[in-house]
Amino acid sequence: MEKNYDAILNQMDLFRGIETLQIPRLLNCLSTGTNTFQKNEFIFSLHQTIKKIGIMLSGKAQIVQDDFLGNRTILSDLQSGDLFGESFAFSQMPISSFSVMAITDCTVLFIDPDKLATPCFTGCDFHHTLIQNMLKIVSLKNIQLTEKIEVLSKRSLREKILSYLSLMSAKYSCFEFSIPFDRQALADYLCADRSALSAELSRLKREGYLDYHKNQFVLHYHKNE
């Protein structure tokens, strides 16, 4: 890699418990390579066979699903240090059901899933730690997917908004927090119309359930229906 991304890699859950000096050796073991992508360029495209796992080194991207009517749903927001594509890469499914699109210029590190899952012939003493870390990451992502299903299962847009913001509040252990989406992205995440989302947020604010400015929110749990 031309640029030094050690600080980002050191903070990743994938490399937790592995000494900083061992990471370059580990990356060499996994046959890595980096690519740069421009804003609005697809990192993984719909129906592409995914044979590698991505790590965001810089910039931002989104995992999205588009239906045949052109409606977009945001499945996840990706930032520096985030891992993506591992489920399809490990499952060896020939067709993916989502796309990964750069929303800013970004750099991605790719790793070989087969070499990650199988200890190398040199017997790296840190390889088993890497496998354990990957299992934890996959488990946590399954929990996050379950949480999103819980949000989207709510009957009304109001309930979806409050459910999502409650999860974010619990994540930060604080009633005041920021979310990773602008209004359009939040609407896509909640599978809602942007104008309807804005109108419902305004009503919730007037009724005292919450306050907000752009992507900063404050929840007021003392209010009751």
Side-chain angles (χ1 to χ4, degrees):
M1 290 179 286
E2 294 182 2
K3 184 176 179 180
N4 192 325
Y5 292 101
D6 288 350
I8 294 172
L9 296 173
N10 290 340
Q11 295 174 3
M12 289 186 62
D13 289 338
L14 181 61
F15 302 113
R16 187 178 300 276
I18 298 175
E19 294 182 6
T20 301
L21 295 178
Q22 292 179 318
I23 292 179
R25 178 186 169 194
L26 179 57
L27 293 180
N28 183 64
C29 176
L30 298 179
S31 297
T32 63
T34 60
N35 289 91
T36 57
F37 298 87
Q38 296 182 344
K39 181 179 179 180
N40 296 327
E41 185 177 358
F42 285 104
I43 300 171
F44 289 147
S45 300
L46 186 66
H47 305 316
Q48 175 184 351
T49 299
I50 296 179
K51 298 181 179 179
K52 50 192 176 183
I53 300 169
I55 295 175
M56 294 291 297
L57 293 179
S58 66
K60 296 181 179 180
Q62 290 177 340
I63 302 176
V64 300
Q65 269 188 328
D66 294 309
D67 64 21
F68 69 99
L69 295 176
N71 299 312
R72 171 162 293 177
T73 299
I74 296 177
L75 302 180
S76 182
D77 189 68
L78 301 173
Q79 303 183 41
S80 297
D82 285 340
L83 195 75
F84 62 94
E86 69 283 352
S87 294
F88 280 96
F90 281 124
S91 68
Q92 298 183 345
M93 291 180 63
I95 299 177
S96 67
S97 60
F98 64 86
S99 301
V100 181
M101 185 179 71
I103 59 174
T104 67
D105 293 347
C106 59
T107 302
V108 179
L109 169 70
F110 291 107
I111 58 180
D112 185 330
D114 293 331
K115 293 188 176 182
L116 187 153
T118 306
C120 61
F121 67 91
T122 59
C124 300
D125 55 359
F126 46 73
H127 209 120
H128 73 283
T129 301
L130 185 73
I131 296 172
Q132 291 177 339
N133 289 343
M134 177 57 76
L135 288 173
K136 291 178 182 178
I137 290 171
V138 172
S139 297
L140 287 173
K141 288 193 175 184
N142 284 336
I143 293 173
Q144 292 171 354
L145 179 59
T146 300
E147 291 176 343
K148 180 168 185 180
I149 292 173
E150 178 184 349
V151 170
L152 296 183
S153 68
K154 303 302 181 184
R155 293 181 179 274
S156 68
L157 178 56
R158 167 175 289 218
E159 290 174 326
K160 291 178 182 179
I161 293 171
L162 291 176
S163 179
Y164 170 71
L165 293 178
S166 294
L167 286 173
M168 294 299 292
S169 176
K171 175 183 178 180
Y172 293 108
S173 300
C174 184
F175 292 158
E176 184 172 354
F177 53 89
S178 62
I179 65 173
F181 303 127
D182 60 19
R183 288 294 178 270
Q184 183 59 59
L186 180 58
D188 290 341
Y189 182 86
L190 297 176
C191 301
D193 177 76
R194 177 176 176 173
S195 60
L197 170 66
S198 297
E200 192 59 55
L201 284 172
S202 294
R203 279 191 289 270
L204 288 167
K205 184 175 183 178
R206 287 197 305 269
E207 295 170 14
Y209 286 96
L210 53 81
D211 198 2
Y212 61 85
H213 176 68
K214 294 184 178 180
N215 69 332
Q216 301 289 326
F217 284 83
V218 180
L219 290 183
H220 304 303
Y221 283 106
H222 64 282
K223 293 291 183 179
N224 296 313
E225 291 287 347

